[in-house]
Amino acid sequence: MCSWPRSKLWLAEKLSLQPSQVAIWFQNRRARFKTRQLELDCDSLKASYANLKTDRDILFRQNQALKNKVALLKEELKIQEKLEAESMETEKLGEEGSSVKSDNTQYSEEEEVLGNNHYSFPELAALGFYYDPTLSASNLGL
């Protein structure tokens, strides 16, 4: 194909136009092509943005749900730790109470199984009688 100035002159002669009119026509054509390309790119970017926004919204909701779950699990852990601490305190108090028993008191495995109650006689404990150390003869009026 011929160089641009020659083809511009050739087209101008064939169309009975001035060479500057042919040049302007090509400039307008290039401008329209760029505008169409920009519109397509813009539409593509808008679609990508919409998809990304949807994905972000989904991730945001999932993140919130996970944060809520973590907060709930932390609360459950605090409760569990509190219960374990209370259980350990109860065990400590039970051990301290069993070490105070007199030599005359028979301490059996049955008492250990039945918990923190103090029994004078394991046989009575087996029958369901419990020893209350706060009760004495003077308290009962005997």
Side-chain angles (χ1 to χ4, degrees), residues 105-135:
T105 305
Q106 294 180 358
Y107 182 72
S108 69
E109 291 179 9
E110 293 173 14
E111 282 185 71
E112 200 170 340
V113 170
L114 291 174
N116 294 333
N117 295 319
H118 303 285
Y119 304 103
S120 300
F121 302 98
E123 300 83 19
L124 291 177
L127 295 173
F129 294 99
Y130 300 106
Y131 172 71
D132 186 354
T134 61
L135 296 177

Side-chain angles (χ1 to χ4, degrees), residues 62-76:
Q62 289 174 344
N63 189 21
Q64 286 301 112
L66 289 173
K67 282 181 181 179
N68 292 340
K69 190 173 184 178
V70 165
L72 187 71
L73 290 172
K74 281 182 179 180
E75 190 63 34
E76 287 178 10

